[in-house]
Amino acid sequence: MSEAAVDLRGVDFAWPGSTRRTLQIDSLSLRAGGQLFIAGPSGSGKSTLLALIGGIITPQKGEVRVLGTPLHTLSGTQRDRFRVDHTGFIFQQFNLVPYLSVMENVLLPCRFSSVRSRGAVEQGGSAKAAAAMLLGELGLDAALWARSAARLSVGQQQRVAAARALIGKPALIVADEPTSALDAGHQEDFIRLLMRECARFSTALLFVSHDERLAADFPARFTLTPPSGEEA
């Protein structure tokens, strides 16, 4: 795939009712299959950036392209479909469904997207086999796969969230502070694991954290700064 995984140009965003910019980016690009660390202090617009890349919001100015598709030109419904088909998210709180089993949580993207379901079949021969393969690669024992997500440790939940994001070979993974609940040793282990799995499937990884120590593991970084006090 020749298109950049993420490409932002001349982006300005201000939340409704505010005359002050929340985010201002002249240029940000993540190549297809690449890995990029996004850093920035509180108030620099990290959450807003992820909402733009996920197609949840659109900028007042500029272009947001994901996998070559100009998200800012799509309807809300089209952006929702594009997101579930092509992007895997790992959230800070993981956002697992607590009453579903490990296996059921991992398979959720395949239930909502035929694109991800077909990708999972390509990964493992069937969606369930792909889920089992990912859980095994991420170090989650098969004895836990029938256990509800609510009965897992933080580290186990993290691996389930990663497997759910990776199933179906999405072209882009967006990880939002996914290591914040872990100690330093486990943070590094998880980052290496995630980077390895993304590289295996040629999946681009955009990793967001306020902890700049983690940037050392990444080949490229981008630092967000709070926008100027100018009006949007």
Side-chain angles (χ1 to χ4, degrees):
M1 183 169 49
S2 59
E3 295 284 0
V6 177
D7 192 29
L8 279 69
R9 305 288 170 179
V11 167
D12 274 7
F13 181 85
W15 288 102
S18 173
T19 60
R20 304 296 179 184
R21 292 185 181 93
T22 303
L23 187 69
Q24 184 178 25
I25 295 177
D26 292 332
S27 175
L28 185 158
S29 185
L30 168 62
R31 65 177 178 82
Q35 299 178 342
L36 177 66
F37 184 91
I38 302 285
S42 178
S44 61
K46 294 191 298 295
S47 296
T48 302
L49 172 62
L50 297 188
L52 286 167
I53 292 171
I56 297 168
I57 57 175
T58 56
Q60 282 84 21
K61 296 179 183 178
E63 296 186 349
V64 177
R65 294 178 180 269
V66 176
L67 310 176
T69 298
L71 297 188
H72 54 286
T73 68
L74 303 182
S75 69
T77 299
Q78 289 173 324
R79 294 196 304 272
D80 290 344
R81 172 50 54 193
F82 186 88
R83 180 173 61 251
V84 72
D85 282 347
H86 302 293
T87 308
F89 280 85
I90 307 174
F91 301 97
Q92 184 173 3
Q93 302 301 325
F94 309 136
N95 288 13
L96 301 178
V97 181
Y99 55 84
L100 293 183
S101 71
V102 165
M103 181 62 72
E104 289 167 336
N105 267 284
V106 175
L107 290 171
L108 278 176
C110 299
R111 290 179 54 186
F112 295 114
S113 168
S114 60
V115 173
R116 297 284 289 276
S117 183
R118 289 194 299 271
V121 171
E122 292 174 5
Q123 274 177 315
S126 70
K128 191 168 183 179
M133 176 191 68
L134 287 166
L135 289 167
E137 288 286 333
L138 289 163
L140 200 70
D141 192 276
L144 299 173
W145 297 355
R147 182 176 295 184
S148 68
R151 296 176 56 213
L152 300 177
S153 70
V154 170
Q156 290 165 346
Q157 289 183 43
Q158 183 190 53
R159 283 164 168 73
V160 176
R164 181 182 61 185
L166 287 160
I167 198 167
K169 299 195 300 185
L172 174 64
I173 296 290
V174 176
D176 180 15
E177 301 276 7
T179 63
S180 60
L182 301 178
D183 60 41
H186 286 96
Q187 285 178 341
E188 292 184 7
D189 288 344
F190 178 73
I191 289 172
R192 290 194 201 98
L193 206 59
L194 180 61
M195 293 175 78
R196 184 192 73 197
E197 292 300 308
C198 285
R200 190 156 71 99
F201 298 117
S202 298
T203 295
L205 172 62
L206 192 150
F207 190 101
V208 178
S209 178
H210 70 281
D211 188 348
E212 298 196 24
R213 295 174 305 157
L214 305 178
D217 292 314
F218 287 79
R221 64 174 291 166
F222 183 93
T223 301
L224 289 170
T225 57
S228 66
E230 300 173 4
E231 293 187 354

